């Protein structure tokens, strides 16, 4: 499965791309800078992999728990990207992911 995922629910801003089981990621500890960082992270991951959003199967985001504004940033960005690429969105519990 080819998947792009974002998480901005904490002070960390991260994006990850999973292509055929290989994961590449971008991560930065950047409180209150998620809005300016997340799209360039996504762009860099896609360019390095040589793929577009349409090549992916789905897009995911960390739905919290976490900072309200951070969760809204990830949800809004992923919804916009998914809508433009006509791809499904998968919300992932940040707490469940940590427990996993």
């Amino acid at each position: 499965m080819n998947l792009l995922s974002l998480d901005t629910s904490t002070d960390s801003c991260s994006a990850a791309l999973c292509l055929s089981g290989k994961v590449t990621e971008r991560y930065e500890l950047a409180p209150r800078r998620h809005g300016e960082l997340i799209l360039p992270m996504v762009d860099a991951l896609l360019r390095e992999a040589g793929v577009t959003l349409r090549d992916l199967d789905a897009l995911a985001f960390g739905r919290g728990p976490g900072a309200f504004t951070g969760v809204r940033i990830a949800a809004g960005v992923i919804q916009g990207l998914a809508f433009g690429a006509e791809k499904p969105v998968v919300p992932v519990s940040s707490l469940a992911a940590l427990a996993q």
Side-chain angles (χ1 to χ4, degrees):
M1 173 169 272
N2 297 330
L3 180 71
L4 171 72
S5 64
L6 311 177
D7 191 1
T8 59
S9 63
T10 66
D11 284 346
S12 301
C13 182
S14 63
L17 184 62
C18 179
L19 296 173
S20 302
K22 181 183 177 211
V23 177
T24 54
E25 53 88 18
R26 294 287 179 277
Y27 169 88
E28 188 169 334
L29 182 59
R32 297 178 302 279
R33 294 186 50 225
H34 301 78
E36 70 185 77
L37 295 174
I38 197 64
L39 285 173
M41 285 180 171
V42 169
D43 188 50
L45 286 170
L46 293 173
R47 283 179 190 254
E48 287 176 18
V51 297
T52 68
L53 291 172
R54 292 194 182 267
D55 297 322
L56 303 177
D57 298 311
L59 289 84
F61 74 101
R63 66 169 176 83
F68 179 72
T69 301
V71 172
R72 287 182 59 188
I73 289 170
V77 168
I78 212 75
Q79 283 180 334
L81 294 173
F83 182 77
E86 300 178 341
K87 297 296 177 179
V89 172
V90 180
V92 177
S93 166
S94 304
L95 187 59
L98 280 171
Q100 194 66 285

